[in-house]
Amino acid sequence: MTTAVPFLLSLVVVLTNGQYYYQGLMDYLENRFLAIEDRMLIWHEQSNRYNTELRHFKKQTAEFIKGLNQDHGTLRQDLEGTGVRVDRVEREMDYIETQNPAKPCVNQADRMVDVDLEVKERVKERKRGGEEDGYSRVLDCVDIISSIRAMKILKRMGSPKGMWTKDARTSKVYVFNGTAEDTVYQFSSVLDFSSSPGVAHSRPIRLPSLWSGTGCAVYNGYAYYVMEGADELQVIKYDLANGTLADSAVFPVEVADHRPVYSLNPETAVDLAADEEGLWALYTTRESESINLAKMDPDSLDIEQMWDTQCPQENAEAAFVVCGTVYVVYNTRVPSRSRVQCVFDVNDAVTNEEAPLLYFPRRYGLHASLKYNPQEKQIYAWDDGYLILYKLSMTRKLMV
């Protein structure tokens, strides 16, 4: 009995202390939960504030972007309008240049006498140099271009580079689409060509081999083109009427020695051209930085004579021949207005100083080819897939 009393007292003390500790733990946990609740309330308030600010920022951003889009649209319209006005000014300047050529600084009669004496002196110098038995006078044609009078865009084809032309003795139009193909498309007329979608109304003519570049030509019912082999360049003559190979000849420049005739159109190794006097070839070699000219016999494909035109190959895009005068057209890597910057006449009747300054109307890119039609006095041009006609105004050379 005496031992039970202390035990009970100890048990009471333990229970009392346990209840005290339990109440303290509960108070601690309640305080912590209250603190967490307060922090959650603060976080909730901050989250609502952040959401409100974010919505306001999104609204402001949307309004700002809308304003930017409106400003962009206005600026684009202003730029388009400016471009239209610039094009109109350029056309008006071209027209003014055409209608009002530069006035001579001296009396025209005096100028004619001076030029006549200059040409006679050139002929005397050539005779003294032993050239009188050569090409002292190769041509009867005396026309020279005075201005580019008009431009007409007919249609657009698939390839950005190619050549189209019209046979001077017929009304047929021929399209060489691309730089390495073997199918020529023949149309009955320019009207039929312009009204047909693509090549739908054409007569396809399959050539015996691929042409190389855009230097093809059509002359007196024959297609002339260059085939580039592993070791040599061949000029092919193809009869368009009966669809047969008429002739072929090795061009006297080896593949290893030739360069593209125009630096801005590197696909073209040799550019064949036809004018009033026959067939010509323009080419460049590694030994020369200028463009060379060759007179070809259209029947036998023989080379009759060659000239160094002294016209640079660098930045040249195309060239054409009119009455034995070569007009080399230049541009820039970033296309701008094409211009005739170098002229060479096989009879020395025209020099760069005497030739008129010719600018082509602003277009889309670079000329891939320029082919002259002597009957119509027009140039058939290929420009970034657009097929264009340029009408020319002519004057007479000063001959002796």
Side-chain angles (χ1 to χ4, degrees), residues 9 12 35 39 101 117 125 145 156 176 190 198 209-210 226 304 361:
L9 290 173
V12 170
R39 292 184 180 179
L117 292 174
E125 290 177 359
I145 301 174
R156 188 173 189 181
F176 294 70
V190 173
S209 58
L210 300 178
V226 175
E304 297 177 351

Side-chain angles (χ1 to χ4, degrees), residues 24-40:
L25 178 62
M26 293 301 295
D27 293 341
Y28 173 77
L29 291 176
E30 184 177 0
N31 292 333
R32 296 301 299 168
F33 281 130
L34 289 175
I36 291 173
E37 253 184 35
D38 292 339
R39 292 184 180 179
M40 289 181 66

Side-chain angles (χ1 to χ4, degrees), residues 20 52 63 69 94 99 107-108 113 142 193 206 210 219 240 260 262 268 278 311 375:
Y20 172 77
T52 303
E63 292 175 353
N69 289 333
D94 292 336
Q99 299 298 318
N107 183 274
Q108 185 66 24
V113 171
V142 294
F193 167 73
R206 186 76 174 270
L210 300 178
Y219 181 71
L240 294 168
Y262 313 118
T268 302
C311 294
Q375 295 295 327

